[in-house]
Amino acid sequence: MSDDQAGRIAIPQPIRSDGAGGVDNGPRDVLRDLQNPDLLVPPKTDNGLVPNVRFSFSDAHMQLNHGGWSREVTARELPIATTLAGVNMSLTPGGVRELHWHQQAEWSYMLLGRARITAVDQNGRNFIADVGPGDLWYFPPGIPHSIQGLEEGCEFLLVFDDGSFSDLNTLSISDWFAHTPKEVLALNFGVPESDFDSIPNGQVYIYQDRVPGSIKSDEVHSPYGTVPLTFKHELLAQPPLKTPGGSVRIVDSTNFPISKTIAAALVEIEPGGMREMHWHPNNDEWQYYLAGQGRMTVFAGNGAARTFDFRAGDVGYVPFAFGHYIQNTGDRSLWFLEMFKSDRFADVSLNQWMALTPHDLVESNLNVGPSFVSHLRKMKWPVVK
């Protein structure tokens, strides 16, 4: 930061309103401190040792190819994130994520633009669809597939059900061909070896191609038909659960049957709103922030709690059953995805739990009066105002 910039920005200091802390005159990244006020000056209620639960895609390595780019946040970047890993990918118009498959399930949310996806299952049943903003797809482990950008190109989030996953270490058709003797390829496909004179010498990963024609022009008839369960789900077309303060759309195997290992919720928190105090009884939570800014406090038990600040492009993580809330700290809606390695979405509302517990017990446990207990809600509001 230049001296001129520093003169125009109020430099934050690690000093609490009660005078705790002191001035930091040493080398520092002031812009980082401005983005993370709750790390610089933690709330008084923060205490103990809670591991880092935040990592930004902006700090991830960029893989650049002709046809697009990718970057990933895995357990290598965010060690606490053991259940899920994420890949942010962009494809140019006509750019192709080559024919490939994974040992892990792939769940995806389209951020911008449109793409064409294809797949074939183990019974020879095929699938082709165009996906746009707010659409999902899910490919089970071992199912071969491809992704190609349409006229405007696209950007999307990929989530895999293994925290140590890397998209640069997948099973790709070009890589297999490059590492198979040509006489074996010729024997397998019943063609001359010369047909393979120009095959790639390694994994292609992403490459540039022409923009595909209409979906009808790309369709291939299979004698076995199409896949019985669609790999695509239009999440934004799904009516949201509206509450004072925001909205939630939940997608899991109950309304997207093929998605057997990843469940998710798309959450909107309006200005002044909060994702209520809650926890999840089935698995860790992996988050991706789409728009706006907010903060989350994670309660780990035994007196440990820590607060983190988030903005668009950040990944958050909450270990199994840890209590947490997410507050909108900006002046526009905060949007984020919360995802789980599970076939079903599940959360426990602190408010609802207390409302459905004998009132005398709640009052004596917390030393509160009947007026507080009378405001507890028996109905769950995922987002509150």
Side-chain angles (χ1 to χ4, degrees):
M1 180 190 297
S2 68
D3 291 340
D4 181 59
Q5 286 176 310
R8 288 184 277 116
I9 296 175
I11 305 299
Q13 296 294 347
I15 304 173
R16 214 178 261 131
S17 58
D18 63 2
V23 174
D24 178 2
N25 289 321
R28 58 186 294 202
D29 187 335
V30 174
L31 294 180
R32 268 289 200 233
D33 289 339
L34 287 166
Q35 289 184 348
N36 297 285
D38 291 290
L39 291 181
L40 186 69
V41 184
K44 282 187 177 182
T45 46
D46 279 14
N47 183 59
L49 302 175
V50 175
N52 177 51
V53 300
R54 176 196 166 277
F55 192 90
S56 175
F57 268 108
S58 294
D59 294 327
H61 166 74
M62 270 285 197
Q63 173 68 31
L64 305 180
N65 288 65
H66 294 289
W69 54 256
S70 72
R71 52 189 175 180
E72 58 188 32
V73 175
T74 73
R76 289 173 297 281
E77 291 76 25
L78 187 59
I80 198 171
T82 58
T83 58
L84 298 171
V87 177
N88 180 206
M89 184 176 290
S90 176
L91 296 174
T92 61
V96 179
R97 174 65 177 97
E98 72 160 312
L99 296 158
H100 67 286
W101 67 104
H102 310 282
Q103 294 173 301
Q104 301 81 8
E106 174 180 306
W107 184 101
S108 185
Y109 181 84
M110 182 60 75
L111 300 167
L112 303 165
R114 296 167 61 248
R116 180 160 299 163
I117 55 175
T118 71
V120 176
D121 75 4
Q122 66 272 22
N123 295 310
R125 298 170 296 193
N126 60 357
F127 174 84
I128 182 170
D130 289 348
V131 288
D135 290 345
L136 311 179
W137 68 79
Y138 179 92
F139 296 126
I143 296 299
H145 55 280
S146 68
I147 312 163
Q148 184 171 19
L150 295 178
E151 291 87 351
E152 63 270 56
C154 58
E155 183 179 345
F156 46 91
L157 174 74
L158 300 165
V159 179
F160 299 88
D161 58 359
D162 180 354
S164 61
F165 169 86
S166 174
D167 200 46
L168 298 173
N169 186 31
T170 56
L171 296 149
S172 300
I173 192 170
S174 60
D175 200 17
W176 197 6
F177 267 52
H179 295 92
T180 301
K182 290 183 179 178
E183 62 268 23
V184 174
L185 293 173
L187 183 62
N188 189 81
F189 294 103
V191 296
E193 287 186 34
S194 58
D195 281 7
F196 306 105
D197 286 348
S198 299
I199 62 173
N201 59 8
Q203 179 177 231
V204 171
Y205 188 56
I206 292 173
Y207 68 94
Q208 185 63 55
D209 197 7
R210 61 176 179 80
V211 175
S214 69
I215 196 166
K216 188 168 182 61
S217 70
D218 260 359
E219 286 178 345
V220 177
H221 172 73
S222 169
Y224 305 102
T226 58
V227 296
L229 296 177
T230 181
F231 294 146
K232 172 185 172 181
H233 180 77
E234 296 179 356
L235 182 59
L236 290 184
Q238 182 179 314
L241 169 63
K242 292 285 291 182
T243 64
S247 67
V248 177
R249 291 174 173 87
I250 295 171
V251 56
D252 59 19
S253 60
T254 61
N255 56 0
F256 188 23
I258 194 67
S259 189
K260 300 294 187 187
T261 64
I262 297 180
L266 174 63
V267 182
E268 175 199 13
I269 306 175
E270 296 169 355
M274 185 176 86
R275 176 73 169 95
E276 69 162 348
M277 298 171 74
H278 68 286
W279 67 93
H280 301 278
N282 54 347
N283 217 321
D284 299 6
E285 175 180 340
W286 195 94
Q287 303 164 342
Y288 178 73
Y289 287 81
L290 297 159
Q293 62 186 61
R295 70 173 187 169
M296 175 174 69
T297 296
V298 175
F299 168 64
N302 203 31
R306 191 176 174 195
T307 303
F308 298 83
D309 299 284
F310 295 89
R311 59 185 58 224
D314 286 350
V315 171
Y317 198 82
V318 183
F320 166 64
F322 280 17
H324 57 289
Y325 64 85
I326 300 158
Q327 217 173 355
N328 186 338
T329 57
D331 56 7
R332 62 179 180 134
S333 284
L334 171 65
W335 288 86
F336 68 96
L337 288 161
E338 49 185 65
M339 285 159 278
F340 310 86
K341 186 175 180 177
S342 175
D343 65 334
R344 296 289 292 272
F345 176 91
D347 68 348
V348 177
S349 162
L350 176 63
N351 201 323
Q352 186 182 51
W353 171 42
M354 295 169 66
L356 297 173
T357 298
H359 294 178
D360 288 348
L361 187 58
V362 174
E363 291 174 18
S364 65
N365 194 147
L366 293 174
N367 196 26
V368 294
S371 61
F372 167 76
V373 174
S374 68
H375 284 86
L376 296 173
R377 293 185 309 274
K378 294 180 181 178
M379 301 296 290
K380 185 186 295 183
W381 287 3
V383 183
V384 296
K385 189 72 173 176

